[in-house]
Amino acid sequence: MKKYPLIVIILLALVGIGLLMDGFKSFFILIISVLIGTLIFTLLLRLFANRKTDINYQKAVKQSKNLHDPKKKTKKKRKSSFKVIDGGKK
């Protein structure tokens, strides 16, 4: 059985109470305002989260890419441990 987080249960209860108190019109306005608020919050979060990363981190990434570059690695084939034994015909 899937467990729902407590916040989802609380929100659903509030939506139910709101529908019973004011009707569908206020519920529709509530949904529109929540969507607009979520959009604004998401845009602000992305704006502040896209700051330039640390210079030391960029150097480490570059060094790691140079170290683990797949083009530079060439695997040598190992000789097989199996040997062919010629059996003479009698």
Side-chain angles (χ1 to χ4, degrees):
M1 189 167 154
K2 188 174 182 179
K3 293 184 179 180
Y4 290 101
L6 183 62
I7 188 82
V8 174
I9 295 170
I10 292 172
L11 285 176
L12 288 176
L14 289 175
V15 167
I17 292 170
L19 278 176
L20 293 175
M21 292 181 75
D22 291 331
F24 184 72
K25 185 177 178 182
S26 66
F27 176 69
F28 185 70
I29 292 171
L30 174 70
I31 293 295
I32 296 293
S33 63
V34 166
L35 288 176
I36 290 172
T38 304
L39 181 68
I40 291 171
F41 180 73
T42 305
L43 290 175
L44 287 174
L45 189 65
R46 286 189 180 185
L47 177 70
F48 290 118
N50 283 339
R51 295 182 182 208
K52 191 175 180 180
T53 56
D54 191 24
I55 295 172
N56 292 332
Y57 175 74
Q58 289 178 351
K59 286 180 184 178
V61 169
K62 187 176 180 181
Q63 183 181 8
S64 177
K65 283 183 180 179
N66 287 338
L67 183 65
H68 299 291
D69 192 11
K71 294 177 185 176
K72 290 182 180 178
K73 285 187 177 180
T74 55
K75 287 191 173 183
K76 295 181 182 178
K77 278 192 169 183
R78 291 178 25 181
K79 283 190 172 182
S80 175
S81 61
F82 299 111
K83 296 186 180 184
V84 176
I85 300 173
D86 286 333
K89 287 187 179 178
K90 291 188 178 181

